[in-house]
Amino acid sequence: MTGTEVHVDVDLDEDAIHELPYSRLVQDDLATRMDRVVETAQAIAPVDTGRYKASIHRVAEHGTNGEVFVEANVPYAIYVEHGTRQTDRNGRSIHPPRYTLSTALDAAGGDH
């Protein structure tokens, strides 16, 4: 048996590739995926007053490269997500990290 050599020439449509993230089909798919992230994050969000949970939403406009974002826009969201170093007098964490948005992104599944 002898080896076979194959040459394939590919002519890329650079304009089509550049515009793909902005296409309605891709944007609709990303929005659906991020809506699942919002739903999951709200289901697992810690609740004290409910403001953090209620603030979790998909951002209406996509990013400059076609990204779709989910955010929690209360001023203390970063502390809910990543915790603080504050401890009580016994050394126990007062505000441990919750990783709500990170967990929701993983739990929503799909190939993201």
Side-chain angles (χ1 to χ4, degrees):
M1 182 175 231
T2 62
T4 304
E5 193 171 309
V6 176
H7 293 277
V8 177
D9 291 324
V10 177
D11 186 23
L12 296 177
D13 184 346
E14 296 288 339
D15 291 333
I17 292 170
H18 178 72
E19 294 300 318
L20 186 61
Y22 310 101
S23 74
R24 181 62 13 221
L25 184 64
V26 171
Q27 285 297 304
D28 288 348
D29 180 61
L30 290 173
T32 299
R33 291 170 186 254
M34 292 303 103
D35 287 343
R36 284 197 309 263
V37 171
V38 168
E39 183 179 309
T40 303
Q42 288 177 338
I44 65 173
V47 177
D48 188 13
T49 65
R51 285 183 59 216
Y52 174 74
K53 178 178 179 176
S55 78
I56 300 171
H57 66 281
R58 177 172 47 90
V59 177
E61 296 297 319
H62 63 74
T64 57
N65 293 314
E67 313 93 334
V68 177
F69 301 101
V70 170
E71 72 177 3
N73 61 353
V74 291
Y76 52 87
I78 189 77
Y79 305 114
V80 174
E81 187 72 9
H82 297 290
T84 69
R85 292 184 179 185
Q86 290 179 308
T87 57
D88 64 15
R89 69 181 88 174
N90 296 314
R92 292 181 299 236
S93 178
I94 295 173
H95 303 289
R98 301 296 181 172
Y99 304 119
T100 305
L101 297 177
S102 304
T103 301
L105 184 60
D106 288 340
D111 38 337
H112 50 267

